[in-house]
Amino acid sequence: MASNTSVKNSDGVDIWYIFNSSTKTARVTCRGNHYQAYSNEYSGEVVIPSTVTYEGVEYSVTSIGSSAFAYCSSLTSITLPEGLTSIVDFAFIGCTALTSITLPEGVTEIGDYAFYVCRSLTSITLPESLTEIGYDAFYNCYKLYEVYNKSD
């Protein structure tokens, strides 16, 4: 398993991953060993691809890992890929400029504190596949007034 390796997305933005060679899956992660060293790594709109190629091997992106986007206070929008199954604890904690998010069908869990203190978040669309929302996943999301289910 490789650790914290970046691959550019279609917009030329370096996205950091941990690759699992046995399952051919990738988890988006934070750069380095701790998110605090690289908070604000991402800004504006970020697109996470559904697959990434690393060292000639294609991997499916299945998870947004712990603290992957922690405290990216200038991140305003994120596009998550089809095939994503989980958003782990603290994934978007402190993304205070993030305004809305649509979780793709297939996501089954949102971890503890995943969107904690996302103070500009006004709407979220949840997939029918969602079975678990972690502790305080949306705590201090003061403006979150619209929660949609994709079946609505």
Side-chain angles (χ1 to χ4, degrees):
M1 204 191 275
S3 64
N4 301 42
T5 303
S6 71
V7 176
K8 290 190 183 306
N9 71 1
S10 60
D11 297 325
V13 175
D14 280 320
I15 307 292
W16 294 85
Y17 299 95
I18 293 177
F19 296 102
N20 184 321
S21 59
S22 64
T23 61
K24 301 290 187 280
T25 59
R27 174 175 25 125
V28 178
T29 188
C30 60
R31 178 185 203 179
N33 292 327
H34 198 274
Y35 71 87
Q36 288 177 327
Y38 297 98
S39 61
N40 279 321
E41 176 83 14
Y42 303 100
S43 62
E45 299 178 11
V46 174
V47 175
I48 305 297
S50 59
T51 61
V52 290
T53 301
Y54 175 67
E55 294 185 342
V57 178
E58 186 174 83
Y59 294 84
S60 297
V61 178
T62 59
S63 179
I64 305 296
S66 181
S67 303
F69 295 92
Y71 300 101
C72 289
S73 60
S74 298
L75 179 68
T76 57
S77 172
I78 187 145
T79 301
L80 299 173
E82 293 299 320
L84 195 69
T85 59
S86 64
I87 297 173
V88 181
D89 301 348
F90 307 103
F92 293 95
I93 187 172
C95 290
T96 55
L98 186 63
T99 58
S100 68
I101 193 162
T102 298
L103 303 183
E105 190 58 44
V107 171
T108 59
E109 70 173 296
I110 298 172
D112 296 344
Y113 307 102
F115 294 94
Y116 188 87
V117 192
C118 289
R119 293 189 175 139
S120 297
L121 190 63
T122 59
S123 69
I124 187 165
T125 302
L126 304 174
E128 288 184 45
S129 57
L130 187 65
T131 59
E132 183 179 341
I133 298 176
Y135 181 77
D136 280 346
F138 298 99
Y139 188 77
N140 280 338
C141 293
Y142 300 123
K143 296 181 180 180
L144 183 57
Y145 293 113
E146 298 173 338
V147 177
Y148 301 102
N149 183 296
K150 282 193 175 177
S151 65
D152 292 345

